[in-house]
Amino acid sequence: MSAPDAVSLRATAGRRVSELVRDVPDFPKAGVTYKDITPLIAHGDSLRLVVDALAAPYQDRGVDHVIGLEARGFIFGTGVALALGAGFVPIRKKGKLPPRTVSLDYELEYGSATIELREDSLRPGDRVLVIDDILATGGTARAAAELVESQGAQIVGLDVVLELRDLGGRGELPGRSVGALVSV
Ligand SMILES: O=P(O)(O)OC[C@H]1O[C@H](OP(=O)(O)OP(=O)(O)O)[C@H](O)[C@@H]1O
Ligand SMILES: Nc1ncnc2[nH]cnc12
């Protein structure tokens, strides 16, 4: 797909995201407006559109592995891996990935967490695309990028369905290629 096609596909997908992602006030705690992606993924045509749009800029970029971030990043990341003919590697929350992992602690908009990557899942020089649903404070994406790079792999890009701009996630990822279908 040529670059202009990818741009227009992403614009179309972005409009669909804006229509279908639902705001849930005060979830999971007071003051947080939760962005619910489930109406978006419940429609086959919308799920297809979003996955194709996320994958489009990376078609000729030699991506070896797509990393999906548990849990919602698995939904989109698996589809993007299939679209690119790449493998899928999960980054999971603590205690879910045997046998040996590398891990990092990080802060969320509404709590803190630890993520893990299986120690032998990436090789030095592997080209990796990181996919998630939402970029908020950027803590998750930054921790994921650091984990990937701790294995000597190279990040081709980080891409999300929806960026919550006011939470400043992009600022946590200086010098990285960061994409979003919609930025609100
Ligand atoms: O930019 P940040 O502030 O780090 O927030 C973004 C992360 O928060 C959400 O995950 P959550 O931990 O809620 O997990 P889930 O996908 O399992 O619902 C979302 O899916 C991103 O991974
Ligand atoms: N406001 C939000 N809605 C959904 N997922 C999130 N992850 C971090 N912040 C979020």
Side-chain angles (χ1 to χ4, degrees), residues 139-151:
T140 308
R142 189 180 67 180
E146 287 174 8
L147 269 184
V148 167
E149 288 172 347
S150 76
Q151 303 306 290

Side-chain angles (χ1 to χ4, degrees), residues 32-35 72 109-110 134 136 164:
V32 174
T33 301
Y34 183 84
K35 300 287 185 182
R72 284 170 273 157
E109 188 186 359
Y110 40 72
I134 290 183
L164 306 179

Side-chain angles (χ1 to χ4, degrees), residues 17-61:
V17 170
S18 300
E19 282 162 24
L20 291 181
V21 171
R22 171 170 56 192
D23 280 5
V24 182
D26 298 320
F27 183 88
K29 66 179 192 190
V32 174
T33 301
Y34 183 84
K35 300 287 185 182
D36 178 15
I37 56 142
T38 59
L40 178 71
I41 62 175
H43 297 274
D45 60 335
S46 301
L47 180 59
R48 172 95 260 163
L49 175 63
V50 165
V51 163
D52 287 346
L54 286 169
Y58 307 98
Q59 285 292 355
D60 302 316
R61 302 288 307 282

